[in-house]
Amino acid sequence: MRYITGGIALGSALILGSLVGAGTSATAAPAPAPAAQQSLYAPSALVLTVAQGDSSTNSGVQRAVTLTCMPKASGTHPDARGACNELRSVGGKFEDITKVKAGTACTKEWNPYVVTAEGVYEGQRVKYEHVFGNTCELKAGKGIVFEF
């Protein structure tokens, strides 16, 4: 009887050992990580803000949105497609967008608003800030990009 129980115990130990060994060898080599997807487009992801004040460092942000232009227009911007089209039409030059149109009549009141764009546009790092003298100038020069 001792030999039978000893044989059963030995057989059980061999089976369990092979199962545990097989389990560790299967988990010892982790599955390869999936390759990162490469985009054919240069990255474009921006955070746009509007704040009341004369600079971004001492102004509280009133509104902020995200804008992604590649591979398709998206983000929290209410007109992402229009904003991306406007940026594309000026070659990504924010200073061309924020020019107050000639012939615009605004008061000389000093109640400044600052707009900022920060992130990446077509693979180039962007950090842009522009101060408008008052709400009239802001409305006249914000374009579609800062219309939110």
Side-chain angles (χ1 to χ4, degrees), residues 55-78:
S55 77
S56 62
T57 58
N58 62 6
S59 302
V61 174
Q62 292 181 327
R63 297 181 301 278
V65 296
T66 58
L67 179 65
T68 302
C69 291
M70 288 294 175
K72 66 176 190 159
S74 64
T76 60
H77 195 289

Side-chain angles (χ1 to χ4, degrees), residues 47-51 56 61 114-118 128-130 146 148:
V47 175
L48 308 171
T49 66
V50 175
S56 62
V61 174
V114 62
V115 295
T116 64
E118 213 168 323
Y128 178 77
E129 179 176 319
H130 182 79
F146 294 103
F148 52 87

Side-chain angles (χ1 to χ4, degrees), residues 62-140:
Q62 292 181 327
R63 297 181 301 278
V65 296
T66 58
L67 179 65
T68 302
C69 291
M70 288 294 175
K72 66 176 190 159
S74 64
T76 60
H77 195 289
D79 185 7
R81 182 177 294 152
C84 288
N85 288 340
E86 184 175 52
L87 272 172
R88 201 171 298 115
S89 72
V90 296
K93 296 178 183 170
F94 286 91
E95 57 274 2
D96 289 350
I97 293 170
T98 55
K99 284 183 184 173
V100 176
K101 312 303 181 259
T104 302
C106 289
T107 63
K108 300 287 183 186
E109 168 192 20
W110 182 247
N111 184 16
Y113 281 82
V114 62
V115 295
T116 64
E118 213 168 323
V120 178
Y121 181 73
E122 292 188 350
Q124 300 297 315
R125 184 165 299 282
V126 172
K127 186 170 175 86
Y128 178 77
E129 179 176 319
H130 182 79
V131 178
F132 293 102
N134 52 45
T135 55
C136 176
E137 289 182 9
L138 174 66
K139 288 178 184 175

